[in-house]
Every structure is written in C-alpha cells, then in structure tokens.
C-alpha cells in the first residue's frame, strides 16, 4: 500500500537528489502553510476528550474516529501505554484545557507484543547506560488496555476518571472493539 507519506523511490523524489525524508516533510509544510488560514481556535478540544493511542503508523486516528482538527487532544507512544508521561499529559489536558473523557486505543499486531524487558537490557549493554524508562511490553493486548484504564482511573492527578474507555483497533478491518474493564 502506498500513502501520501510514502518515501519516494530513487526515481521519484528529492531523496535521489541528495534530500532527506525531513527535507520532503519541510517542503510539504511550505505547501501547507501557503494555503493555511488560521482556524481561529484555541488549545481547548471541542469535544473535551483526550485520546491515548499507539504511535503505529497504521492508525489514522482522526479518520478512524470521525474527528476534525480541534476536536481532541491526541497522546501517542509505543503501545499506547499509560506511562507517567501520559498521566502528565492527561493531567494538563484535564486541569488546564478542559478535557473530561479519556479514550485509550491499543491495536492488533502491536510491536510491543514481540518485545520483552530484555530489550532494555540489550540497549544498556550496547550503549553503556540503563534506560530510565520501562519497555512496557505485553503479551495480551486486552489485559494491557485494562491495565491502562486502571492507571488512568486511579491517578490522583486526574480530575475526571469516570469516563475512561478502552479499545483495541483491528488493523485489518479498521474496527474498534471495546474492552470490558473488569
């Protein structure tokens, strides 16, 4: 499958002429900015929702959820795992910018299902320094969604923990499957 973000082949683009992928992105931004008009909105999401999801490039969250610019805060990381930094972002989202709902989205075929904490050890052996972060690898995507929901619901920093729902996005069908928090 080819997307507009696909890297051009040698005969197709700037990379063949000494450019980089970043050069291509900056060029695309110039075209975007040339047609840009200020949408006149602030940082408060219209739908008062924060979406936490995996960084996987196959997830087009706005399209999958029917969202428009300004509708939500989107927080992404490897696995869509609720880490301390996600709690930090959700806390700012709720306390400073008015969100009230949290939607958690993991997905089928996640790369974290094939990693272990051994990844961290191997990295330490390679670079000579132990990462301060955990890999947060998992074997059961549904259980990890439940754990992420629990982390949000029990955080003392969050004001709104009553509307926290978790889902698994199927990368083959595009459908969300809701996970029972039990």
């Amino acid at each position: 499958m080819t997307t507009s973000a696909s890297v051009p082949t040698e005969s197709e683009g700037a990379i063949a002429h000494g450019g980089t992928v970043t050069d291509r992105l900056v060029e695309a931004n110039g075209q975007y900015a040339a047609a840009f008009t200020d949408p006149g909105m602030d940082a408060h999401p219209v739908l008062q929702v924060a979406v936490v999801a995996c960084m996987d490039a196959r997830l087009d969250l706005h399209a999958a959820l029917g969202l428009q610019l300004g509708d939500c805060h989107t927080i992404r990381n490897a696995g869509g795992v609720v880490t301390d930094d996600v709690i930090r972002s959700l806390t700012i989202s709720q306390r400073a910018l008015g969100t009230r709902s949290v939607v958690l989205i993991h997905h089928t075929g996640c790369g974290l299902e094939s990693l272990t904490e051994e990844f961290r050890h191997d990295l330490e052996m390679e670079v000579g320094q132990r990462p301060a972060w955990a890999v947060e690898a998992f074997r059961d995507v549904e259980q990890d969604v439940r754990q992420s929901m629990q982390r949000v619901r029990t955080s003392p920093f969050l004001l709104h923990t009553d509307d926290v729902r978790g889902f698994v996005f199927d990368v083959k069908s595009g459908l969300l499957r809701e996970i029972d928090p039990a």
Side-chain angles (χ1 to χ4, degrees):
M1 177 172 92
T2 302
T3 67
S4 62
S6 296
V7 176
T9 62
E10 287 297 321
S11 62
E12 290 181 295
I15 294 175
H17 299 80
T20 65
V21 172
T22 304
D23 293 333
R24 181 177 173 273
L25 299 176
V26 171
E27 180 182 333
N29 175 256
Q31 294 168 4
Y32 171 80
F36 184 80
T37 55
D38 181 357
M41 59 180 70
D42 65 19
H44 293 75
V46 172
L47 299 179
Q48 297 181 315
V49 63
V51 178
V52 178
C54 185
M55 65 186 191
D56 192 294
R58 297 172 290 181
L59 277 65
D60 183 349
L61 292 174
H62 277 75
L65 300 174
L67 296 167
Q68 300 298 315
L69 181 67
D71 282 348
C72 73
H73 284 159
T74 306
I75 304 161
R76 295 181 80 156
N77 67 18
V81 177
V82 176
T83 61
D84 286 345
D85 193 59
V86 168
I87 293 294
R88 171 190 160 273
S89 293
L90 287 172
T91 301
I92 293 166
S93 178
Q94 287 189 357
R95 290 179 176 267
L97 297 165
T99 60
R100 301 183 63 83
S101 300
V102 178
V103 173
L104 305 170
I105 301 177
H106 287 33
H107 65 92
T108 58
C110 185
L112 281 187
E113 291 176 293
S114 63
L115 291 178
T116 66
E117 289 299 320
E118 190 69 21
F119 177 85
R120 208 167 154 247
H121 173 75
D122 293 345
L123 193 56
E124 178 183 2
M125 293 297 101
E126 178 184 329
V127 303
Q129 181 178 342
R130 176 175 292 163
W133 39 264
V135 174
E136 297 278 355
F138 53 86
R139 293 280 180 251
D140 182 336
V141 67
E142 290 184 14
Q143 182 54 34
D144 201 65
V145 171
R146 285 185 194 96
Q147 178 175 302
S148 290
M149 284 190 281
Q150 186 65 14
R151 285 178 177 173
V152 171
R153 287 188 172 128
T154 59
S155 173
F157 306 110
L158 299 175
L159 296 171
H160 307 288
T161 59
D162 54 323
D163 188 14
V164 177
R165 294 171 65 184
F167 301 85
V168 174
F169 177 86
D170 187 313
V171 298
K172 301 286 187 202
S173 71
L175 288 173
L176 288 176
R177 179 171 38 88
E178 188 158 9
I179 302 303
D180 184 352

